Amino acid sequence: MKVSQHRFIHQRPGLSLRTVIAASLLLGFVHLLGAQSTDDWQQQVRKDVENQHIDAALAIVDQRLADAPEDLEAHGWRGRLLAWKGRWSEGEAEYKRILDKIPNDTDMLTGLSDVLLWQKKYTEALQTLDRARKISPSDPEILSRRARVLALLGRTPEARSEYQQTLLFDTQNTDARTGLD
């Protein structure tokens, strides 16, 4: 606490220095608990996903969103989990909610492109990947996803070129090697 803040608070009627210190400690403790609980719920979600307990992970995320409805990290997890459960339109809505607030998040863009791909919305998936590629032009995951969509659209020469670009940045990329074969 800066001296000027301390003087202002201490000069207010009814607030002793002991009260101010106790309130500051309490606020710091609450902040630490909040940070710890954020780490805890994400850690549990990751553990459930590793064990393929998608419903349990989704329940944790839903509870997190009930407690903190604006938590974009929780919305991202919800989008992923819904997509993995085959609830694609709901997953798509979660991804779009996040991208409305953070339009340059390449993880969310690639997640959305996957959901669009699974719904056979190839043109929308390609547009989403084009946005991601502008942000991160050398990301092999984005490039190989984009190549896959181009191939599904029948744009074989472009897909081939994109797979070749992928291999420039990741020589071991199996998707690109398979795509070129």
Side-chain angles (χ1 to χ4, degrees):
M1 178 181 301
K2 293 181 180 175
V3 174
S4 60
Q5 291 174 327
H6 170 71
R7 285 185 186 148
F8 174 75
I9 293 172
H10 189 63
Q11 291 174 358
R12 294 178 67 192
L15 287 179
S16 69
L17 181 57
R18 187 181 310 182
T19 303
V20 171
I21 292 171
S24 296
L25 289 173
L26 181 61
L27 286 173
F29 182 69
V30 168
H31 178 72
L32 286 174
L33 284 178
Q36 183 178 4
S37 66
T38 298
D39 291 342
D40 289 348
W41 75 261
Q42 287 189 64
Q43 188 174 27
Q44 186 59 50
V45 167
R46 284 185 182 94
K47 182 179 175 185
D48 284 340
V49 167
E50 283 177 24
N51 294 319
Q52 299 180 9
H53 300 143
I54 304 302
D55 289 328
L58 186 56
I60 293 167
V61 169
D62 285 342
Q63 181 58 54
R64 173 65 183 172
L65 287 170
D67 296 340
E70 297 302 314
D71 185 334
L72 295 179
E73 188 72 29
H75 281 288
W77 271 109
R78 189 165 194 277
R80 283 183 204 100
L81 295 167
L82 290 169
W84 294 339
K85 287 184 59 63
R87 294 167 55 184
W88 298 326
S89 60
E90 293 172 82
E92 179 182 346
E94 287 292 338
Y95 283 122
K96 286 181 176 179
R97 171 186 294 204
I98 296 164
L99 289 165
D100 282 344
K101 296 181 184 192
I102 309 171
N104 293 334
D105 187 317
T106 57
D107 288 337
M108 294 300 109
L109 286 166
T110 55
L112 175 59
S113 74
D114 288 344
V115 171
L116 294 168
L117 175 69
W118 298 333
Q119 295 177 83
K120 299 184 181 187
K121 297 179 180 179
Y122 303 137
T123 302
E124 288 180 60
L126 182 60
Q127 291 168 347
T128 302
L129 289 166
D130 287 345
R131 283 176 52 194
R133 187 172 188 226
K134 284 179 185 172
I135 298 162
S136 187
S138 60
D139 185 326
E141 284 301 311
I142 294 169
L143 295 171
S144 67
R145 279 179 165 93
R146 192 170 180 282
R148 189 176 318 123
V149 173
L150 286 166
L152 289 167
L153 287 168
R155 295 166 57 178
T156 307
E158 290 172 86
R160 190 167 190 71
S161 174
E162 202 74 0
Y163 281 131
Q164 290 168 341
Q165 283 290 313
T166 302
L167 290 173
L168 289 176
F169 298 108
D170 179 6
T171 58
Q172 303 303 313
N173 189 294
T174 55
D175 286 340
R177 291 189 178 285
T178 302
L180 285 172
D181 291 340

